[in-house]
Amino acid sequence: MAQVSQTSQTSQMTEGAGTAGAAAPSGPAEAAGSAGPPKGFRSAELAWPRLDLIPHPPRRLPLIGDVLGANVRTPVQDSMRIGSSLGPIFRRKAFGKEIVFVWGAELAAELADESRFAKHVGLGVANLRPVAGDGLFTAYNHEPNWQLAHDILAPGFSRDAMAGYHPLMLDVARQLTDRWDARESAGRSVDVPGDMTKLTLETIARTGFGHDFGSFERSRPHPFVTAMVGTLSYAQRRNVVPPALAPLLLRGATRRNAADMAYLNRTVDDVVAARRAASGPGEGDLLDRMLEVAHPDTGERLSAENIRRQVITFLVAGHETTSGALSFALHYLARSPEVLARAQAEVDAVWGDADEPAYEQVAKLRYLRRVLDESLRLWPTAPGFSRQALHDTTIGGTHPVRAGGWALVLATLLHRDPAAWGERPEEFDPDRFAPSAVRARPAHVFKPFGTGARACIGRQFALHEATLVLGLLLRRYDLHADPGYRLRVAERLTLMPEGLTLRLTRRAAAA
């Protein structure tokens, strides 16, 4: 359930980007200075006085900037390639707008300091605000509904609440295994990203909002998924199209996006209306908390409009990134026979004769959790997050930044920094997350869920769901990779393996 607000900021990579003025002021830094920083996109030259100390790609061109060799479909992977050659802090510029990127472990640790930096709501996030508004992950720091919603909803992710979700998670997982059993019996491969998306959408919809999309009964993705992918893709396209050309190049896409947003809104309105009309006791889920619970101190409640925005936020963020995390983990398990065998042995030992685990047994799958963490290290499905200075400061002892200035922390490279992860950071090795290895590493070098007060509220939900599902699948199947497949990573603000299929065989103990 990593937050889309963070992932969307990574789409600023080829920043020609977005509509001018789309990003409103964001947070405490607005108060700095007499007039505050300019509204709209804040290009780096406005807040980084010594940009000359920060390297940029060669062959920068007048007016259009660092666009040679850039691919608008893969801005994250472009920036990974560029950052690997330029070092732990670098900058990219396109069409007059410049961004500072950070991936070095020491610099990222400074940006994680909540006394000096806060979340920056970047342009990618602003592009999602027409549909998500001041939802938890897209709210500006100064907007009161963020703290209100956080305080009301945080108990919905407590241990007791998680234990209550567990049976529903199991029920959805049975729909997945029924589907995979049929594919295995027919000798057919499974569509990993497609089926993980069905699973995670149904899981958050049923546990959080008591709604069944019927995803596993459909041959195609549910229209909600199609509309969601459309809005995410449109937000990314707005980030890489020069503002002056957007009305021409995005005319058709803008109409489709309006239809997608209208569908998302109608779907959520129907879910909320059905709950309001229901008689009898509530479900005790996230939607009940939104509708019935007042802030414990102020007595304030969420407005109807904000409830819609929160539901959309959770439905999108609650399944899009978790499905990617599961898909990457299954990819690496299928290509790592020793890791797969060790994880299967752990599941068998911890769960014993039970086909399905009790809630407490999921947390005992410690090696499988390492597999998940290592997959998130290599491909955090929320691949970056932005941080803005609360006051004038300097990072790395060299780079001054003014209040309100911001940088994008590129988690995909932070998670590969040899200074933190050793000489072969590209290798898949779950033992990087053995307790002794974790203790030996610096703080703030593993950030798949963001950082600080605005980190993902649903982190434990996502980790429990993903570990449970992986355990159930490894208990039941051996995984076989397509020998001709090479990992391709699709970017739609979040990251997802593209074209990943696996062949299954039932394990003897599970047959």
Side-chain angles (χ1 to χ4, degrees):
M1 204 178 208
Q3 49 187 320
V4 173
S5 63
Q6 294 173 358
T7 66
S8 58
Q9 295 175 60
T10 62
S11 298
Q12 302 162 25
M13 313 298 170
T14 53
E15 195 58 58
T19 317
S26 55
E30 266 102 82
S34 58
K39 293 180 174 62
F41 176 81
R42 305 174 194 166
S43 194
E45 63 268 17
L46 300 176
W48 294 79
R50 293 303 309 273
L51 273 181
D52 59 300
L53 300 177
I54 301 175
H56 64 75
R59 299 185 298 164
R60 174 171 284 188
L61 300 176
L63 301 179
I64 60 176
D66 306 315
V67 300
L68 291 179
N71 185 336
V72 296
R73 296 184 180 274
T74 57
V76 174
Q77 292 162 86
D78 276 357
S79 289
M80 291 173 66
R81 172 179 51 81
I82 291 167
S84 294
S85 64
L86 293 181
I89 181 169
F90 66 100
R91 55 190 168 113
R92 295 185 68 185
K93 186 175 187 177
F95 302 100
K97 298 181 185 289
E98 191 152 20
I99 296 174
V100 172
F101 295 80
V102 166
W103 62 265
E106 293 184 1
L107 297 176
E110 288 194 59
L111 292 174
D113 183 347
E114 292 279 288
S115 70
R116 297 170 60 197
F117 294 90
K119 174 176 177 171
H120 172 71
V121 177
L123 200 61
V125 180
N127 290 344
L128 293 174
R129 281 178 60 91
V131 65
D134 56 353
L136 270 175
F137 304 148
T138 47
Y140 297 119
N141 293 325
H142 70 276
E143 290 181 308
N145 275 332
W146 174 78
Q147 192 69 60
L148 174 63
H150 183 276
D151 292 348
I152 288 174
L153 294 173
F157 297 99
S158 66
R159 187 182 185 281
D160 287 346
M162 292 297 304
Y165 303 145
H166 181 77
L168 289 171
M169 290 183 178
L170 282 171
D171 189 49
V172 176
R174 291 186 202 109
Q175 297 180 53
L176 173 69
T177 54
D178 286 347
R179 182 182 184 87
W180 280 24
D181 284 352
R183 304 286 292 187
E184 188 272 338
S185 296
R188 302 175 67 184
S189 297
V190 295
D191 171 9
V192 175
D195 286 344
M196 291 305 105
T197 296
K198 292 175 187 286
L199 171 104
T200 54
L201 176 62
E202 291 301 326
T203 298
I204 186 59
R206 291 189 59 187
T207 58
F209 308 103
H211 184 74
D212 187 343
F213 281 100
S215 296
F216 286 102
E217 301 164 12
R218 297 172 174 270
S219 59
R220 295 185 176 184
H222 191 282
F224 184 91
V225 173
T226 303
M228 178 213 70
V229 171
T231 59
L232 294 178
S233 299
Y234 179 77
Q236 175 152 309
R237 291 189 67 186
R238 281 189 61 192
N239 281 334
V240 296
V241 172
L245 298 180
L248 175 64
L249 297 181
L250 298 181
R251 182 180 304 168
T254 299
R255 288 195 298 268
R256 290 191 297 273
N257 183 64
D260 288 337
M261 289 195 301
Y263 182 83
L264 295 177
N265 287 334
R266 286 197 307 272
T267 301
V268 169
D269 288 347
D270 289 345
V271 171
V272 174
R275 179 64 59 86
R276 289 188 186 276
S279 58
E283 301 288 334
D285 56 14
L286 294 177
L287 184 53
D288 268 357
R289 297 197 66 83
M290 293 180 193
L291 293 172
E292 304 296 338
V293 176
H295 191 279
D297 296 327
T298 67
E300 189 176 359
R301 293 178 181 269
L302 296 175
S303 67
E305 181 181 38
N306 187 256
I307 289 171
R308 172 203 274 176
R309 291 170 171 175
Q310 303 295 357
V311 174
I312 289 175
T313 296
F314 276 102
L315 285 173
V316 173
H319 92 275
E320 170 73 356
T321 51
T322 308
S323 61
L326 280 164
S327 298
F328 282 116
L330 289 165
H331 165 76
Y332 285 112
L333 282 165
R335 292 186 171 268
S336 310
E338 292 182 2
V339 173
L340 176 62
R342 185 175 170 186
Q344 287 175 322
E346 179 187 57
V347 175
D348 294 343
V350 170
W351 292 1
D353 295 333
D355 291 330
E356 296 178 339
Y359 171 74
E360 295 79 10
Q361 288 179 297
V362 176
K364 295 179 181 179
L365 298 178
R366 294 183 175 88
Y367 183 72
L368 189 55
R369 171 63 185 277
R370 293 181 205 172
V371 170
L372 181 60
D373 283 346
E374 177 69 348
S375 302
L376 284 167
R377 181 187 72 83
L378 286 168
W379 293 108
T381 50
F385 54 93
S386 293
R387 303 284 286 172
Q388 68 181 37
L390 296 173
H391 46 73
D392 292 355
T393 187
T394 300
I395 65 169
T398 303
H399 303 289
V401 55
R402 299 188 181 104
W406 61 280
L408 193 149
V409 179
L410 196 57
T412 47
L413 277 187
L414 171 63
H415 292 178
R416 289 169 165 80
D417 186 350
W421 302 98
E423 295 181 357
R424 295 184 294 276
E426 294 286 347
E427 292 184 4
F428 177 74
D429 180 8
D431 283 333
R432 296 181 198 275
F433 288 89
S436 59
V438 172
R439 288 193 296 269
R441 272 196 299 275
H444 304 297
V445 296
F446 182 56
K447 295 289 185 180
F449 296 95
T451 193
R454 298 292 301 274
C456 178
I457 192 174
R459 173 180 179 171
Q460 294 308 318
F461 182 102
L463 291 172
H464 182 84
E465 176 189 4
T467 306
L468 168 63
V469 170
L470 289 175
L472 290 167
L473 296 179
L474 299 195
R475 176 80 155 171
R476 198 172 189 89
Y477 309 107
D478 284 319
L479 310 175
H480 308 281
D482 176 353
Y485 178 76
R486 296 295 179 266
L487 181 63
R488 303 187 304 274
V489 178
E491 301 183 24
R492 55 190 191 205
L493 299 186
T494 58
L495 305 182
M496 177 77 77
E498 184 176 15
L500 173 62
T501 62
L502 296 177
R503 187 170 58 83
L504 311 172
T505 53
R506 287 290 294 273
R507 296 182 64 201

